Short mmCIF file of all heavy atoms in Angstrom, two decimals:
data_model
loop_
_atom_site.label_atom_id
_atom_site.label_comp_id
_atom_site.label_asym_id
_atom_site.label_seq_id
_atom_site.Cartn_x
_atom_site.Cartn_y
_atom_site.Cartn_z
N VAL G 11 11.87 -45.04 25.39
CA VAL G 11 10.77 -45.19 24.47
C VAL G 11 10.89 -43.96 23.47
O VAL G 11 11.28 -42.84 23.91
CB VAL G 11 9.42 -45.31 25.14
CG1 VAL G 11 9.11 -43.96 25.93
CG2 VAL G 11 8.34 -45.47 24.17
N GLN G 12 10.46 -44.03 22.33
CA GLN G 12 10.35 -42.95 21.29
C GLN G 12 9.17 -42.09 21.72
O GLN G 12 8.19 -42.49 22.23
CB GLN G 12 10.33 -43.43 19.94
CG GLN G 12 11.63 -44.11 19.42
CD GLN G 12 11.57 -44.36 17.97
OE1 GLN G 12 10.48 -44.69 17.39
NE2 GLN G 12 12.71 -44.44 17.28
N ALA G 13 9.37 -40.89 21.27
CA ALA G 13 8.26 -39.91 21.53
C ALA G 13 6.94 -40.38 20.78
O ALA G 13 7.14 -41.00 19.63
CB ALA G 13 8.56 -38.52 20.86
N GLY G 14 5.86 -40.35 21.45
CA GLY G 14 4.56 -40.94 20.95
C GLY G 14 4.28 -42.33 21.43
O GLY G 14 3.16 -42.71 21.32
N GLY G 15 5.29 -42.90 22.10
CA GLY G 15 5.18 -44.22 22.61
C GLY G 15 4.53 -44.38 23.91
O GLY G 15 4.00 -43.31 24.53
N SER G 16 4.44 -45.52 24.51
CA SER G 16 3.76 -45.86 25.72
C SER G 16 4.67 -46.66 26.76
O SER G 16 5.53 -47.42 26.30
CB SER G 16 2.45 -46.59 25.57
OG SER G 16 1.57 -45.83 24.67
N LEU G 17 4.41 -46.55 27.97
CA LEU G 17 5.13 -47.23 29.02
C LEU G 17 4.00 -47.40 30.19
O LEU G 17 3.13 -46.57 30.38
CB LEU G 17 6.30 -46.59 29.49
CG LEU G 17 7.63 -46.67 28.72
CD1 LEU G 17 8.66 -45.86 29.40
CD2 LEU G 17 8.08 -48.07 28.59
N ARG G 18 4.10 -48.51 30.89
CA ARG G 18 3.38 -48.74 31.98
C ARG G 18 4.17 -49.00 33.24
O ARG G 18 5.01 -49.93 33.26
CB ARG G 18 2.36 -49.91 31.80
CG ARG G 18 1.35 -50.13 32.95
CD ARG G 18 0.44 -51.19 32.52
NE ARG G 18 -0.80 -51.22 33.40
CZ ARG G 18 -1.02 -52.33 34.25
NH1 ARG G 18 -0.14 -53.34 34.22
NH2 ARG G 18 -2.08 -52.29 34.97
N LEU G 19 4.11 -48.08 34.32
CA LEU G 19 4.89 -48.24 35.47
C LEU G 19 4.01 -48.96 36.49
O LEU G 19 2.78 -48.77 36.61
CB LEU G 19 5.20 -46.85 36.07
CG LEU G 19 5.99 -45.90 35.10
CD1 LEU G 19 6.36 -44.56 35.89
CD2 LEU G 19 7.26 -46.65 34.47
N SER G 20 4.69 -49.67 37.30
CA SER G 20 3.98 -50.50 38.37
C SER G 20 4.82 -50.18 39.74
O SER G 20 6.06 -50.02 39.68
CB SER G 20 4.01 -52.00 38.27
OG SER G 20 3.27 -52.26 37.06
N CYS G 21 4.16 -50.10 40.76
CA CYS G 21 4.79 -50.10 42.15
C CYS G 21 4.04 -50.83 43.13
O CYS G 21 2.85 -50.53 43.42
CB CYS G 21 4.82 -48.51 42.47
SG CYS G 21 5.58 -48.20 44.14
N ALA G 22 4.67 -51.77 43.81
CA ALA G 22 4.12 -52.62 44.76
C ALA G 22 4.64 -52.25 46.20
O ALA G 22 5.82 -52.22 46.33
CB ALA G 22 4.26 -54.12 44.48
N ALA G 23 3.74 -52.12 47.09
CA ALA G 23 4.13 -51.84 48.56
C ALA G 23 4.11 -53.16 49.23
O ALA G 23 3.11 -53.99 49.20
CB ALA G 23 3.22 -50.88 49.12
N SER G 24 5.15 -53.45 50.00
CA SER G 24 5.26 -54.73 50.75
C SER G 24 5.32 -54.41 52.18
O SER G 24 5.86 -53.30 52.68
CB SER G 24 6.34 -55.54 50.25
OG SER G 24 7.62 -54.85 50.37
#
Side-chain angles (χ1 to χ4, degrees):
V11 64
Q12 288 188 332
S16 298
L17 283 174
R18 186 173 190 247
L19 306 183
S20 300
C21 177
S24 60

